[in-house]
Amino acid sequence: MKGVPWSGWSLRSKLIVACVLVQLVAAALVLLGSTQLLQRALLDQASSQAKQIVALLDYAIAAPLAQRDYATLQQSLDLIRSDESITYLVLSDHRGKLIATAGWDAARPLPSRDEKGIDLERPDATMHLALPVSLAGQPLGHVDFGLSTAGLRQARADFLRHSLGITGAALAISMALLTVIAFAITHRLTRLAHASQRVARGDLDATVPVTSNDEVGRLGISFNAMAETLKLRVAALEHSETQQRLLLKAAREEQARLTTLLGAMNSGIMFVGSNGRVIYANVAFARIWALADLTTGRSLAEVVPLLIRQTIPADAVHVEAMLDTGVGKVARGVELQTVDGRIITQRMQPVAEGSSGSGCIWFHEDITLERQTQQRAYQALHDPLTKLLNRRGLYEALQAAIAQAIADNAPLALLFIDLDDFKHANDVGGHRTGDEILVAVAQTLSDQMRKGELAARLGGDEFAVLCPGNGAHAASAIAARLVEAVGGLRFAAADMQTLRIGCSIGIATCPNDARDEDDLVACADTAMYLAKQSGKNGWAVYHNDPLRSRAESARVNWNARINRALQDQRFVLHFQAVHRAADLQVTYFEALVRMVDETDPSRLISPADFVPHAELSGKVRQIDRWVFLNCARKLASTDPSVCIAANLSARSLEDGTFPAFLDDTLRQLEVDPRRLHIELTETSAISDPAAARRMIDALRGLGCAVYLDDFGSGFSSFAHLKLLDVEAIKIDGAFIRDLHGDSTNRLFVASMIEIAHHLKKLAVAEHVEDASTLDILRSLGVDLVQGFHLGHPAAGISDSRPQDWLPIASATGDGELGGPA
């Protein structure tokens, strides 16, 4: 400290000087009072001895007495009593109860205590003293003891004799010892101070040697431990800092990856803090809502109104819910309808931090395309009128059900249903009533279904019911229930008539009758025909009769082959030119359908082979639609002057939805209806003249030309020609083939041509196979000709352009499902 002379000294110097001064002062005092205080010195020596004994007693007795360790107390008294200067010891507790004695008879009373100090002249040479015993200020008892003064008397004499010599020697020795001790102590402290300075400078390897276990040694051990701990802590901190840097780098990389991932997602994601501000929003969120500026920190109060303006009013409340950032649970998903027709799902996930909410995450996803895809998938598998599975949907369900039935070794029944008297009801009540009947039947079938069963509409008035787990006997009970339910339906017609229908059901089972969907449907179809032959409004179970006619087997096989061809798109169109008879210029092309053989794709199957079977099963209506759809596509991709004719089957005459289908097809492909000519066979037209007239009127109303094919094959052809409003007639090929060798045929053909011209209709001759036939037809005044002599059917349309010699509204056409090979 500044101002103190020795403030700059070392501890060693201060300690040595202080010790020397103390010794000098003590020696001076001893020498100064040795003569005068000899007597008092002896008394002091005696008092000092007494105090030492008192201290010894206090040290040795207090703790055991506090613990009531009487055995230790007795041992301590005996040990202390071994000193010849102590004549007796008596220990009592704080209540005065005797606890232990040494050198004193407990039965004897204690002598009176010396209150006035040491009396060296006392006869018994004993000083009687008492020592109170306490611990931490708490009195525990007292010790009575006797201190012998004999030694003091002797010491008095010796003291006087040797005091000077002892004092001098003691002074010299103590000074030397204190100097050595001070050097030893301060030497280790000096090394400790130097080591501390090294540590302060950053040298954590600094240590001090430890050579003793005293306070300085323990201080050195503590210093070394502190230095080592500090070194480890610093190393740990450095390692932690390195780890923190690595973790920070990894966190940043992970954040970058997460941000990239969120940015690449199609789902819109927006993190909102508890303060109602945007923490993060990915690109998809901004894209879904067409938000140009969705920056971090923007208030939801600014964003939500922009979203509300894009949603319909009914969904605005769901968007407003985004303003409630204190929501504590997951919000269920809702669908939002936008004003531009999109569908956006909204869902919220709260983000918890401790026990209090810290915001939420809003998920928005545009599922418009997904819904459209689902809708298209649904439409692809379901009938639009009845909402039942369609043929494709049934086949998919049937394929899975058959596989499951075979795996479980369980039966599976298929019921093929065809409505009875539906055509009559449709004719009487009209197409709207027909649709009502189909919808009512579909609902009735659905109501009768049990768990695991399903109903389907195969087309027209054909239905099917799939019954897993049912054999033929159980399926018969189901069929009886369905026949009764359908037979109980009643419908009101426009003229106050009450219409009723029935149904015929065919039953086939897997695996007894068939093990794949095509064969099972064919077997059920065969059984249905048996039910119709048995009187309708009933059911029949398929039986594998070895004597079944070849025609029936062929029909079943052909139905399966036609169905597979429809599913696999194995129909193709060929086109044959129809020429103007006068100059052989191409007028239009006739579309002829062919089926690709499933076993040999290079082989084409003639319509003469498969169309009759398709007519019987009703699948010809599907073929019709395929033909006209592809004809419209061909027209859309060719020169606007090209016209194509195609044949419409007799079964499609009963399909009241066909004109609407054709109209939609032509509109979607943007094809002029006048370029499409439709041919009806005379036999199909005269079989149901009313239906034929309705269909002709509907088709001509679209703008299409209608031809009467195979004219002359009926017994009353001319009468029907007057009743049917068609643009042209196609003379039956039976009259053309032997025209040059049969005068009767020439007469018939000439008559047909003349009557057609009188009725202002065109006459078309097909099957022109040689030049002589062509010359005869020209001489008879035929308008259009077609046949192998003029050209074979081909996969494409030739480059020659049809001549616009007739207005397109009345241009003729000749197309058929069968037609020449």
Side-chain angles (χ1 to χ4, degrees):
M1 187 169 17
K2 191 172 182 180
V4 180
W6 56 76
S7 60
W9 294 7
S10 65
L11 180 60
R12 180 187 303 169
S13 300
K14 292 178 182 179
L15 184 58
I16 292 175
V17 171
C19 291
V20 170
L21 290 177
V22 170
Q23 291 296 327
L24 289 175
V25 172
L29 292 175
V30 170
L31 291 175
L32 181 61
S34 60
T35 303
Q36 301 176 358
L37 302 176
L38 178 59
Q39 179 67 25
R40 189 171 179 177
L42 292 174
L43 295 177
D44 289 339
Q45 183 179 359
S47 177
S48 176
Q49 185 178 8
K51 291 179 179 179
Q52 292 178 3
I53 294 174
V54 168
L56 178 61
L57 288 172
D58 186 70
Y59 178 80
I61 293 175
L65 182 58
Q67 301 173 2
R68 298 186 179 183
D69 187 359
Y70 298 142
T72 303
L73 290 172
Q74 186 62 53
Q75 292 175 0
S76 299
L77 293 182
D78 292 338
L79 181 61
I80 297 172
R81 174 65 179 77
S82 62
D83 189 350
E84 294 179 356
S85 62
I86 300 175
T87 59
Y88 70 88
L89 291 164
V90 178
L91 174 63
S92 302
D93 61 11
H94 64 285
R95 297 184 182 88
K97 180 181 178 181
L98 187 65
I99 295 175
T101 64
W104 186 265
D105 186 2
R108 291 172 54 198
L110 292 172
S112 59
R113 299 169 182 166
D114 295 325
E115 302 292 341
K116 298 181 180 180
I118 302 174
D119 185 3
L120 298 180
E121 303 301 329
R122 190 182 180 101
D124 58 358
T126 302
M127 180 171 58
H128 303 283
L129 301 174
L131 169 67
V133 181
S134 62
L135 183 63
Q138 182 68 30
L140 301 176
H142 64 273
V143 180
D144 294 277
F145 63 96
L147 184 62
S148 175
T149 60
L152 295 177
R153 293 177 182 179
Q154 180 62 38
R156 181 174 55 184
D158 296 335
F159 181 82
L160 293 174
R161 185 172 56 251
H162 301 291
S163 59
L164 291 176
I166 294 173
T167 301
L171 180 60
I173 294 171
S174 63
M175 289 177 64
L177 291 175
L178 286 173
T179 301
V180 173
I181 292 171
F183 181 82
I185 293 175
T186 57
H187 175 68
R188 289 183 290 166
L189 291 175
T190 300
R191 288 188 295 185
L192 188 60
H194 291 163
S196 299
Q197 293 172 356
R198 290 174 58 191
V199 171
R201 291 193 297 268
D203 184 6
L204 301 180
D205 293 325
T207 58
V208 294
V210 178
T211 58
S212 65
N213 196 31
D214 56 8
E215 287 79 357
V216 178
R218 289 195 293 274
L219 181 60
I221 294 173
S222 299
F223 175 83
N224 291 339
M226 179 192 69
E228 182 65 23
T229 301
L230 186 61
K231 181 179 179 181
L232 294 176
R233 293 288 176 85
V234 170
L237 287 175
E238 291 176 348
H239 177 71
S240 177
E241 182 180 2
T242 302
Q243 291 297 110
Q244 289 292 332
R245 285 197 297 268
L246 293 175
L247 291 175
L248 179 60
K249 180 181 178 182
R252 288 174 176 171
E253 293 175 350
E254 186 66 24
Q255 182 184 18
R257 286 192 292 268
L258 180 60
T259 302
T260 303
L261 175 62
L262 294 177
M265 293 179 64
N266 291 326
S267 298
I269 300 175
M270 181 172 68
F271 292 78
V272 180
S274 57
N275 59 354
R277 293 192 175 274
V278 177
I279 298 176
Y280 169 82
N282 67 352
V283 176
F285 192 93
R287 183 181 66 250
I288 289 173
W289 291 106
L291 300 177
D293 184 21
L294 189 56
T295 57
T296 300
R298 191 171 183 183
S299 173
L300 274 183
E302 302 174 10
V303 176
V304 170
L306 301 177
L307 275 55
I308 292 177
R309 285 203 294 267
Q310 300 185 50
T311 56
I312 62 175
D315 291 339
V317 63
H318 300 303
V319 180
E320 290 175 354
M322 296 177 65
L323 294 172
D324 185 7
T325 57
V327 178
K329 61 181 180 180
V330 176
R332 66 180 182 86
V334 297
E335 291 186 357
L336 307 176
Q337 183 78 35
T338 64
V339 294
D340 59 358
R342 292 180 297 131
I343 301 175
I344 298 174
T345 59
Q346 172 178 289
R347 184 171 59 86
M348 187 274 290
Q349 175 70 45
V351 178
E353 182 177 329
S355 59
S356 60
S358 63
C360 56
I361 306 176
W362 288 98
F363 299 89
H364 286 183
E365 184 174 3
D366 189 338
I367 62 169
T368 307
L369 181 59
E370 179 183 348
R371 282 299 170 84
Q372 292 174 347
T373 302
Q374 292 175 352
Q375 185 177 8
R376 286 195 293 269
Y378 178 87
Q379 292 173 347
L381 299 178
H382 290 78
D383 175 54
L385 177 63
T386 63
K387 307 305 184 226
L388 298 180
L389 287 176
N390 59 16
R391 181 178 294 272
R392 178 180 175 185
L394 174 68
Y395 269 75
E396 289 190 5
L398 193 57
Q399 185 178 23
I402 290 175
Q404 188 66 43
I406 294 175
D408 297 341
N409 195 23
L412 170 70
L414 177 67
L415 283 63
F416 197 100
I417 305 171
D418 187 86
L419 300 184
D420 298 330
D421 302 320
F422 175 75
K423 182 178 181 300
H424 171 73
N426 192 47
D427 291 341
V428 174
H431 295 302
R432 178 175 297 180
T433 301
D435 289 345
E436 292 177 359
I437 293 174
L438 294 175
V439 171
V441 170
Q443 185 61 51
T444 300
L445 295 179
S446 299
D447 293 341
Q448 295 293 324
M449 294 300 97
R450 297 172 298 187
K451 184 178 181 181
E453 300 175 349
L454 58 87
R457 182 191 178 200
L458 304 183
D461 59 349
E462 294 177 344
F463 295 83
V465 171
L466 182 61
C467 302
N470 291 278
H473 181 72
S476 297
I478 297 174
R481 192 172 71 247
L482 297 180
V483 167
E484 182 180 359
V486 173
L489 296 176
R490 298 292 184 272
F491 305 93
D495 54 357
M496 303 301 293
Q497 294 186 49
T498 300
L499 303 176
R500 58 181 298 175
I501 60 171
C503 66
S504 298
I505 302 177
I507 302 171
T509 60
C510 171
N512 291 339
D513 300 329
R515 300 179 68 89
D516 64 63
E517 56 272 21
D518 288 328
D519 292 343
L520 190 62
V521 171
C523 291
D525 185 22
T526 300
M528 184 272 294
Y529 274 97
L530 293 177
K532 279 190 176 294
Q533 293 171 3
S534 300
K536 300 184 179 179
N537 206 33
W539 70 93
V541 179
Y542 176 82
H543 295 289
N544 188 13
D545 186 359
L547 302 179
R548 187 182 310 278
S549 67
R550 291 184 179 181
E552 183 65 21
S553 299
R555 187 187 66 81
V556 172
N557 293 333
W558 270 111
N559 284 346
R561 293 178 65 182
I562 293 171
N563 186 65
R564 288 194 296 271
L566 286 168
Q567 287 184 329
D568 300 338
Q569 296 293 314
R570 284 190 289 101
F571 284 102
V572 296
L573 289 179
H574 282 190
F575 300 91
Q576 186 177 33
V578 178
H579 303 263
R580 186 167 57 189
D583 54 11
L584 299 184
Q585 294 294 329
V586 176
T587 304
Y588 65 92
F589 295 89
E590 179 185 9
L592 307 171
V593 67
R594 304 286 188 263
M595 187 170 74
V596 178
D597 193 338
E598 58 187 341
T599 60
D600 182 6
S602 63
R603 176 176 174 266
L604 296 180
I605 301 175
S606 169
D609 294 328
F610 63 83
V611 167
H613 300 288
E615 289 275 5
L616 289 175
S617 66
K619 294 181 177 64
V620 71
R621 284 179 283 192
Q622 294 174 261
I623 299 176
D624 280 350
R625 296 200 176 203
W626 183 91
V627 168
F628 280 94
L629 174 61
N630 284 274
C631 285
R633 288 173 175 170
K634 176 64 74 173
L635 289 171
S637 63
T638 57
D639 189 274
S641 61
V642 173
C643 298
I644 295 178
N647 186 271
L648 187 66
S649 69
R651 293 294 292 268
S652 290
L653 287 177
E654 305 170 0
D655 186 0
T657 63
F658 179 80
F661 157 77
L662 187 59
D663 186 34
D664 291 341
T665 301
L666 295 174
R667 289 180 184 275
Q668 290 177 6
L669 296 174
E670 299 181 351
V671 174
D672 187 346
R674 295 176 298 174
R675 299 175 59 197
L676 181 64
H677 309 326
I678 302 172
E679 298 184 0
L680 303 177
T681 62
E682 182 187 9
T683 53
S684 66
I686 64 177
S687 64
D688 192 347
R693 283 196 297 270
R694 285 196 300 269
M695 180 61 71
I696 291 172
D697 292 342
L699 295 175
R700 295 195 68 196
L702 299 179
C704 299
V706 181
Y707 295 177
L708 191 61
D709 194 10
D710 295 338
F711 185 78
S713 59
F715 292 104
S716 55
S717 300
F718 297 122
H720 288 108
L721 182 59
K722 182 178 179 180
L723 295 175
L724 299 176
D725 187 11
V726 297
E727 279 79 6
I729 62 169
K730 289 188 73 172
I731 302 172
D732 192 331
F735 297 101
I736 306 297
R737 287 191 181 93
D738 194 23
L739 192 62
H740 58 280
D742 191 333
S743 58
T744 304
N745 280 351
R746 284 198 300 272
L747 179 60
F748 274 111
V749 171
S751 301
M752 294 178 194
I753 296 173
E754 183 178 0
I755 291 175
H757 288 167
H758 279 296
L759 295 176
K760 301 187 183 306
K761 303 182 188 302
L762 298 176
V764 184
E766 59 183 355
H767 296 287
V768 179
E769 300 179 356
D770 50 51
S772 61
T773 301
L774 177 61
D775 292 338
I776 295 173
L777 289 170
R778 281 174 170 173
S779 66
L780 295 176
V782 75
D783 299 302
L784 304 173
V785 290
Q786 172 188 6
F788 287 172
H789 176 64
L790 303 172
H792 287 262
I797 293 178
S798 66
D799 293 335
S800 60
R801 295 288 182 264
Q803 301 299 308
D804 191 16
W805 65 280
L806 290 174
I808 196 168
S810 62
T812 61
D814 181 32
E816 55 183 82
L817 288 171

